[in-house]
Amino acid sequence: MSSTTPTLPTETDVLVVGAGPAGSAAAAWLARAGVEVVLADAATYPRDKTCGDGLTPRAVHELSRLGLEDWLRAHTVNQGLRAHGFGQVLHLPWPGGNLPTWGSAVARTELDDHLRTTALKSGAIGVEDARAVDVRWDGARVAAVVFERRGPRVDGARAATQRFEIACRRLVVADGVRSPLGKVLGREWHRDTVYGVAGRSYVTSTMTDDPWISSHLELRDEKGAVLSGYGWIFPLGTGEVNVGVGTLATAKRPADIAIKPLMQFYADQRKEDFGLSGELRMPTSALLPMGGAVSGVAGANWALIGDAAGCVNPLNGEGIDYGLETGRMVADLLVELGPGAAGLSTRWPELLREHYGEAFSMARRLAGLVTVPWVLPRFGPAGMRSDLLMTLALRWMGNLVTDEDRDTAARVWRWAGRRSLAVDARPPFS
């Protein structure tokens, strides 16, 4: 078993930057394949992350592959989505198929710490409090990543920042939605397609053990206007629920919303129904690149995964499942390509498009329509009156169609995705 080491490593075969779900999954799978790997992060764990904390059946499936099903079942287990809106309340069970029939919710402070620990137990070497700020190039290849570590405070003053390098033959970048290291490598976020603005908080609730996650699809502001987004209440089984709101925007229709006040307004509206009490705790917010709306996701010996690669569902803001999946996928590809990583610059974007291109393209198109002010008020009520339509929406919007699914709903979704992708001015990951 390896753990965070007080002696900084100076070189490694694969360096993974970012120890969230994507980076920790990549490090765990690489270490289990016998690859030397260092897992570095800017934070000291445990640390928080802006997130709804929900784990869909697709995320549960990936966590089970990592051997964490028993650990996850010791937390809250939910059986589906309770959808609220336009005078209707629908209970939509998780559809199952090739995925589990249950979901969960674990605060990211705990989830990410456990995933990182899983990677370390698998054989990865951990480095904390190390912010990646630059790279040293060897032609087109990254030869090393430059890190900074803040010095401790002495008599109220912070000591000088320590700067050091870790050399690597291959690099995996999993440093989140802003991806500062990705920017150094040339990653660009394109805001002409839909992106998200979200806020999250915790609050005490009598519904903390509710077997359903709740989503309010009729999100209104204090003036009563319907917004292009939704609110959520996810039971954590800890005495608290995760309460949050998210809205969609594009460069043409940017979000002109103060997220934290909107989140407070939403929580105030739900106090009675969900037994909410006390102040909102740890409110945070974030911008979310979605649907692969980034270019520059790979180079000669480096690849971006998870949030850094824009792998966030445009229809529900979910990113944990994609993070876990892309961590496993990039590990498999790096093992296949070997230390030279020949072809990584083209193989990785192709693999992302193969797995997510059609679904992301269609989801971006639908989410973009929702940002048009009249669309949701006009079509939302009709949709909420149909259990069948909302069950299909849950499956499509919740990323619950797998490559193995052959039923009619899956075939329709893939058919629509292919046609959407064919007319994209800028396909996902390009």
Side-chain angles (χ1 to χ4, degrees):
M1 169 181 167
S2 297
S3 61
T4 301
T5 174
T7 303
L8 289 172
T10 57
E11 61 179 349
T12 186
D13 184 351
V14 179
L15 174 60
V16 180
V17 175
S24 291
W29 289 117
L30 285 163
R32 292 177 186 185
V35 177
E36 179 190 42
V37 56
V38 168
L39 177 61
D41 197 277
T44 299
Y45 278 69
R47 62 96 176 94
D48 187 31
K49 168 78 188 308
T50 303
C51 184
D53 298 335
L55 297 170
T56 65
R58 192 157 182 158
V60 168
H61 176 65
E62 285 296 319
L63 291 168
S64 298
R65 294 181 70 151
L66 282 166
L68 301 179
E69 181 174 341
D70 289 344
W71 174 82
L72 192 56
R73 282 190 178 275
H75 296 74
T76 185
V77 169
N78 57 63
Q79 61 192 52
L81 173 70
R82 183 193 293 115
H84 305 250
F86 304 101
Q88 306 290 324
V89 178
L90 302 178
H91 289 79
L92 308 171
W94 295 121
N98 287 292
L99 293 172
T101 57
W102 59 284
S104 185
V106 181
R108 290 292 295 273
T109 303
E110 181 182 358
L111 176 69
D112 289 15
D113 188 51
H114 193 75
L115 282 168
R116 179 177 177 274
T117 298
T118 298
L120 302 187
K121 288 181 176 179
S122 298
I125 298 296
V127 176
E128 299 181 82
D129 189 21
R131 185 175 302 278
V133 295
D134 206 351
V135 299
R136 176 164 55 83
W137 295 97
D138 180 9
R141 300 174 67 87
V142 173
V145 173
V146 181
F147 292 91
E148 288 185 349
R149 173 173 284 172
R150 296 167 296 179
R153 291 188 177 277
V154 179
D155 296 329
R158 187 176 293 282
T161 299
Q162 178 187 7
R163 199 175 178 96
F164 60 93
E165 289 186 356
I166 299 179
C168 59
R169 284 182 284 278
R170 294 170 287 179
L171 170 65
V172 175
V173 180
D175 57 348
V177 291
R178 295 184 180 276
S179 191
L181 186 59
K183 291 179 183 178
V184 172
L185 297 170
R187 172 211 192 239
E188 185 178 357
W189 171 19
H190 304 288
R191 300 195 189 195
D192 50 341
T193 55
V194 69
Y195 63 92
V197 186
R200 171 234 75 187
S201 61
Y202 298 104
V203 65
T204 301
S205 170
T206 59
M207 300 282 282
T208 185
D209 295 311
D210 188 1
W212 299 88
I213 62 173
S214 285
S215 177
H216 291 82
L217 306 180
E218 185 185 358
L219 179 65
R220 295 180 179 270
D221 63 18
E222 295 186 30
K223 296 180 181 179
V226 177
L227 304 176
S228 58
Y230 72 100
W232 68 80
I233 297 176
F234 293 168
L236 295 171
T238 61
E240 292 187 315
V241 293
N242 182 307
V243 175
V245 294
T247 63
L248 298 170
T250 63
K252 289 183 178 179
R253 289 182 286 273
D256 185 21
I257 296 170
I259 282 291
K260 291 183 180 179
L262 176 62
M263 182 166 55
Q264 181 67 64
F265 177 67
Y266 170 73
D268 289 343
Q269 289 179 306
R270 309 302 163 198
K271 276 188 176 181
E272 183 175 345
D273 289 344
F274 289 87
L276 308 183
S277 61
E279 299 295 322
L280 297 186
R281 189 172 67 85
M282 298 171 62
T284 61
S285 61
L287 288 175
L288 301 174
M290 293 174 154
V294 297
S295 56
V297 295
N301 68 331
W302 53 268
L304 274 60
I305 63 174
D307 289 355
C311 291
V312 177
N313 190 323
L315 291 170
N316 67 4
E318 164 69 7
I320 297 174
D321 52 359
Y322 298 110
L324 295 167
E325 286 179 357
T326 56
R328 173 176 51 80
M329 288 160 51
V330 81
D332 289 345
L333 182 59
L334 290 177
V335 170
E336 175 191 336
L337 297 179
L344 181 62
S345 63
T346 56
R347 288 285 300 278
W348 182 239
E350 288 171 355
L351 193 59
L352 289 175
R353 281 191 288 271
E354 176 187 338
H355 279 267
Y356 304 124
E358 294 172 1
F360 275 176
S361 175
M362 190 61 194
R364 293 193 319 199
R365 204 168 298 282
L366 291 175
L369 285 174
V370 173
T371 67
V372 178
W374 56 266
V375 168
L376 197 57
R378 182 173 300 178
F379 293 104
M384 284 294 296
R385 286 194 292 269
S386 170
D387 281 51
L388 174 61
L389 184 58
M390 290 305 296
T391 298
L392 288 173
L394 172 65
R395 183 142 175 233
W396 292 338
M397 295 169 64
N399 188 31
L400 301 178
V401 175
T402 69
D403 294 338
E404 295 77 21
D405 289 332
R406 296 292 182 268
D407 59 287
T408 301
R411 292 199 302 271
V412 169
W413 182 243
R414 283 193 286 264
W415 174 86
R418 287 193 297 273
R419 277 142 187 80
S420 176
L421 192 61
V423 297
D424 273 344
R426 180 184 287 111
F429 311 108
S430 64

